[in-house]
Amino acid sequence: MNSKLFSELGLSPALLKAVDRLGYEKAAPIQAEAIPMIMSGSDVVGQSQTGSGKTAAFGIPAVELVDPHVGFVQVIILCPTRELAVQVAEEIFKLSAFKRGVQSVPIYGGQSYNHQIRALQHGAQIVIGTPGRVLDHMERGTLVLDRVKLVVLDEADEMLNMGFRDDIERILKTVPTERQFICFSATMAKAIMELIKQFGRNPKTIRLEHKTLTVPTVEQTYYEIRNRSKTEALTRLIDHHDLKLGVIFCNTKRTVDELTNDLVARGYSADRIHGDMSQAQRERVMTKFRNSGLEFLIATDVAARGIDVEKIEAVFNYDLPWDEEDYVHRIGRTGRVGRSGRAFSLVAGRDIYKLQSIERYTGTKVTREQLPTLDEVEEKRTNLFFDKIHGALQTGDFERESPVVDRLLELGFSSTDIACAVIHELRKDDVRYLKDRITEPSQGLALAQARSKRPRKADVQNSKNNR
Ligand code: AMP
């Protein structure tokens, strides 16, 4: 599969800067394929799932294509729902941050016409809309598509399922025939193929070929949680499993930075590695990690390529990768040379689709688990501590300390009080000693846990219905 840096895709400095600001380190496979194809002027048909990075795959060329000096609509992107239209518009807005004069507007049902008309009159060149509302504006004469250069159908199968076929056809018949046609769809059902045949001109097809990879035998589990509870969930898992050496993967450099700061602030021994760091900086961090001077390495895929450190106990997918192959590479960092390893994935919202496609690709089952509660974590840690002391008592290797105990006994303290005070002193500096560190679980996490008790199928259905 194609794994490329954005700098290899022929983008303008403005777009490269925007992508960098978004924290994207390398192009997702669909982006590596689609961007050069679309920028060369071809019609493109891509089979893609949500979460594959398809928005930027068509969004980047769309922004590149726009002539910012003229104020008429040059790109029209059709989406099935208002939520998706808003989401796509947000990404396009960010992608055009450094290309002066580019304006985009989402238009969808349920929002006042006036607001949308004002934006259109203002000279927006990129319109992202639901078919019904786009047609309404065309009929009112407030949206003119006679100079459109690029049409994108996003989630085409969903639009057809929702009965938008006639609307889409009417829109496509209105735009000039000399325009580029891009169609992304999760499935390539008969109706989609007919639409492509009718409106595409020798479209190039994107098929993301997978190399066959050996999937390591690592115990894989996932936890359904809210996005904002990810760090809390992560630290709970680290504490509960008493992990001492792990790699935590994030999808963007920005998340790596934020999470590293968060973990260090919470008292964990953690550092980062990503593509914005110099080779020397990266090597310094890696050496520290290799020599156990560091417990947790927070990394992007690019930076972590080739990490080969023995005894890594666990890999965390703080963000699930959009590329199934990256998942395999990530979890392969643990369980090396016959050791047992664990892979924990945090799954928020629509990530569940990504997880399903990872499971399909790897042919393995990732087991759903409940996050341990704070009480469970604390009990586990107390048991660990107990085992340690118990072990020391059994081996009898503590004679050296008896003068201190004798002095305390002479002062009249009971042996129980002395033992309790010693234990307290020992544990109070342990960042993982929860009583001192965390009081109540965040509401988000509590809610998310309640939610994750629901059966998985129903969850998938729910997220579908909400779209
Ligand atoms: P999409 O499939 O377009 O909905 O994208 C899924 C998520 O991946 C979005 O949150 C994007 O912001 C993010 N994303 C897209 N491309 C990249 C990339 N190259 N690197 C990191 N994150 C990305």
Side-chain angles (χ1 to χ4, degrees), residues 6 23-28 31 49-56 87 91 251-252 322 350 354:
F6 282 101
Y24 299 174
E25 194 166 45
K26 64 169 187 173
Q31 295 163 355
Q49 308 287 334
T50 6
S52 58
K54 66 183 163 56
T55 315
Q87 208 176 299
E91 183 125 352
N251 285 353
T252 68
W322 55 80
R350 297 190 307 158
K354 278 195 212 167

Side-chain angles (χ1 to χ4, degrees), residues 230-245:
K230 277 187 172 180
T231 309
E232 173 65 25
L234 171 73
T235 53
R236 237 182 243 188
L237 289 169
I238 289 176
D239 294 345
H240 192 247
H241 296 281
D242 195 38
L243 299 170
K244 298 281 178 2
L245 202 66

Side-chain angles (χ1 to χ4, degrees), residues 22-37:
L22 277 166
Y24 299 174
E25 194 166 45
K26 64 169 187 173
I30 194 160
Q31 295 163 355
E33 288 253 353
I35 292 172
M37 275 186 196

Side-chain angles (χ1 to χ4, degrees), residues 85-151:
V86 169
Q87 208 176 299
V88 171
E90 281 170 359
E91 183 125 352
I92 300 266
F93 180 75
K94 291 178 193 157
L95 289 170
S96 49
F98 298 100
K99 183 162 174 179
R100 261 171 190 262
V102 175
Q103 292 179 56
S104 51
V105 56
I107 58 176
Y108 48 84
Q111 193 197 36
S112 98
Y113 279 91
N114 288 345
H115 178 77
Q116 297 171 356
I117 291 171
R118 263 200 304 279
L120 288 169
Q121 283 170 344
H122 220 244
Q125 300 100 342
I126 305 180
V127 168
I128 305 108
T130 47
R133 185 54 76 101
V134 165
L135 214 51
D136 281 353
H137 275 284
M138 285 165 58
E139 280 163 4
R140 286 166 178 240
T142 44
L143 174 61
V144 181
L145 298 180
D146 60 1
R147 279 181 282 185
V148 160
K149 298 192 271 187
L150 177 71
V151 181

Side-chain angles (χ1 to χ4, degrees), residues 335-347:
R336 294 180 90 77
V337 274
R339 287 177 210 281
S340 62
R342 300 198 60 161
F344 301 95
S345 296
L346 303 184
V347 172

Side-chain angles (χ1 to χ4, degrees), residues 190-208:
K190 194 161 160 261
I192 306 279
M193 298 307 289
E194 283 168 10
L195 201 69
I196 294 167
K197 204 163 157 214
Q198 194 179 351
F199 294 101
R201 293 159 308 167
N202 286 329
K204 291 194 172 152
T205 311
I206 297 181
R207 270 199 205 91
L208 301 172

